Amino acid sequence: VPLEKAQQEAEKYNLMLPLDLGARGSCTVGGNISTNAGGNMVIKYGMMRDSVLGLEAVLADGQIMTSMNQMLKNNSGYDLKQLFIGTEGTLGFITKAVLRLREKPKSTNTALLAIDSFDDVIKILKYIDKGLGGNLSAYEVMWKNFYEVITKTGSNHTPPLPGNHNYYVLIETSGADQEKDLDHFEKLLEMGLENKMIKDVIIAQSESDRKKLWAIRDDVEQHYQEGPVKMFDVSMPISEMENYVLEVNKRFSCIWDNYKCVVFGHVGDGNLHLIGGVGTDNVDEIHAMEECIYEPLKPISGAVSAEHGIGLEKKNYLHISRSETEINLMKSLKKALDPNSILNPGKVFD
Ligand SMILES: Cc1cc2nc3c(=O)[nH]c(=O)nc-3n(C[C@H](O)[C@H](O)[C@H](O)COP(=O)(O)OP(=O)(O)OC[C@H]3O[C@@H](n4cnc5c(N)ncnc54)[C@H](O)[C@@H]3O)c2cc1C
């Protein structure tokens, strides 16, 4: 079932499936579960794992494991569905799922903020999250080099704010009372402006404004128009992000005179996406670029995959984020459930 179709079905009952991502039209619920997809609302609703109550999976030996639990609480032995969530189809093939739908928020407020220091990006996250008392549903940050390309003259977007700031933050809130929530949201942002943490702000006044702001964040494709690039998906403690990006740039600049390292991401979830480009898709150069991105994650206990999974491409870097004991336990599970390695062989590890 395509994710978008599942979202639309939930809508019919005035409910919400709290997973949304750019690939909504093409990706499937089975794929979302098997990759434990994240998306734009993780800060409030968690990842796909948090929306799966039960599932059915076909095992490597042909048995069908039906575990269509409908309760939030069920500690009757092992929670077997977890074996199939985020394991990229290596332990079983998911054929059915019970999803946890949520009440649709009655109010949504969206704003784009311009901020000049990463310290303030973190302070505003804490300040807004605290001020909204749990109603923050997205905190998406675009570094200047992301925003500039997407909103440059001739692109599909008119810049809602001038492009001379270092960070652009797309904030979304969800609550129960549109008028009161908007009033409170505006007051919080005004205070942020007064104490100079926020340099500029625009608040969406309509659904069409809201869509335009999200379209800027979602238009990642623009970055693929300017030569070969590769997207990376990493996570780390938020306090490490600024230094991590500096370190990656330092490593790039030691190897290449001209390179691209565009940064954006679900900062509220500790998740950054980097779009790296070194002017070629030569395998050795791409490998060198991967090392620049992944190696600095080790000392800060970061992850080589935040939400896209390991697949085939990242398996050589799994050791950066997982200990030998962890990887061995993963291999033991694989051996126990799929001794002949017929399910997605070679994915995640060899
Ligand atoms: C434009 C775009 C934006 C994206 N944004 C995000 C984002 O914000 N957050 C995020 O988390 N991800 C994002 N992604 C990646 C996204 O998570 C995955 O594309 C999606 O969740 C995978 O679903 P799929 O149906 O496309 O799976 P596929 O890509 O077809 O498969 C992914 C893996 O799951 C396995 N698999 C597929 N179906 C099943 C099944 N039924 N049972 C067992 N294994 C199965 C496949 O074998 C494969 O190993 C984005 C992708 C794109 C293209």
Side-chain angles (χ1 to χ4, degrees), residues 23 27-28 31-32 34-35 37-39 88-89 93-94 307-308 344 347:
C27 64
T28 61
N32 301 147
S34 83
T35 56
E88 302 182 41
F93 190 83
I94 301 154
E307 57 179 14
H308 292 172
N344 271 348
K347 283 202 178 159

